[in-house]
Amino acid sequence: MIVALDERLKLYSFQNHPFNNKRYEAFANSIKNLEGKIKITKGRKAKLKELLLFHSKEYIYFVKKKSKEGIGYLDCGDTPAFPGCYEATCYVVGTVLKIIEKMLKLNENGFVPVAGLHHAYKNKAAGFCIFNDVCIAINYLRKKYRIKKILYFDIDAHHGDGVFYSFLEDPDVYIVDFHQMPLYPGTGLEIEKGKGKAKKTKLNLVLKPFSTDFDFLRKLKRAEAFLKKIKAEFIIMQAGADCLKKDPLANLCLQNPHKFATELLKKYAKKWKCNIIALGGGGYNIKNCLKAWTSVIKNLI
Ligand SMILES: [Zn+2]
């Protein structure tokens, strides 16, 4: 099990904002308990050509410009620009790619705490997400490793719209996305199952506010029925902790979804002989982040 620890991940932090570097700090302190059982690895900065695997040149230059100015917003008001936000996001993306490289070399699972920026689109930032490390990772796996069939499994309280709609018509990207509805970004109806050739390769699982583990497990059965019909060569899990009870930005009341989801994914990873990278995603109650992420890591060891 490879875990990314790198102080530079702390740079991805908005001021006076729920997405800040305290999440990483708490994680880095708590992970010491697992030393000896995990391989700690430093991250790296993504290269421009890696960002271009998903984002447009115009958008990348816009982020670079805003990063130098360090003021205003990158979107309509959720994602502030700050000095060095370009470099900060490059560390998130580069770290995910480096962990993937190492995972494939050693045939192990991996975890990156500050990652899973699932709301960003090709041409725009959204919902605290500047560059979409998930979409870049999917295209990187394809280009560098010729890995075609990828499963993206997202249990963050928010719909992973940036990933979902970017691969809506791609039959080789399977998506299972649990999310609260109504909640930001307001997308992800269960009737949306992929388009054209990609019909039935996506599964949205909607949870009502105040849903419990009982509701989650019922939906997880539908996720398993979906997994039974597919075969992937790589699994990307977005393990956001905002689906847990007492998150300040969501209203779900889940207790152990990370354990349940990781156990299920592990079973299928074994069957398909592939690896899982888990990404920290959202989560704005720090205790919950630690609980969720530790549960994922312990299950993936
Ligand atoms: Zn979220």
Side-chain angles (χ1 to χ4, degrees), residues 150-199:
I150 296 162
L151 169 65
Y152 175 64
F153 199 100
D154 183 327
I155 62 166
D156 188 284
H158 303 91
H159 184 232
D161 58 332
V163 185
F164 191 88
Y165 295 108
S166 299
F167 293 97
L168 190 67
E169 297 183 47
D170 191 320
D172 295 318
V173 176
Y174 301 108
I175 298 181
V176 176
D177 195 315
F178 288 82
H179 46 276
Q180 179 187 323
M181 211 173 210
L183 187 70
Y184 176 90
T187 54
L189 293 171
E190 291 196 353
I191 48 162
E192 297 175 85
K193 294 176 178 174
K195 255 189 178 170
K197 271 190 203 160
K199 245 182 205 158

Side-chain angles (χ1 to χ4, degrees), residues 42-47 50-51 89-101 133:
K42 277 210 158 203
R44 70 166 170 87
K45 198 173 165 188
K47 298 170 193 135
E50 290 165 342
L51 302 178
T89 325
C90 284
Y91 282 117
V92 173
V93 175
T95 302
V96 170
L97 301 184
K98 189 175 166 191
I99 296 301
I100 287 176
E101 289 155 10
D133 53 314

Side-chain angles (χ1 to χ4, degrees), residues 116 118-119 127-128 154-159 183-184 238 240-243 247 249-250 281-284:
H118 60 174
H119 296 306
F128 319 163
D154 183 327
I155 62 166
D156 188 284
H158 303 91
H159 184 232
L183 187 70
Y184 176 90
Q238 208 273 24
D242 44 14
C243 58
D247 184 89
L249 298 191
Y284 308 99

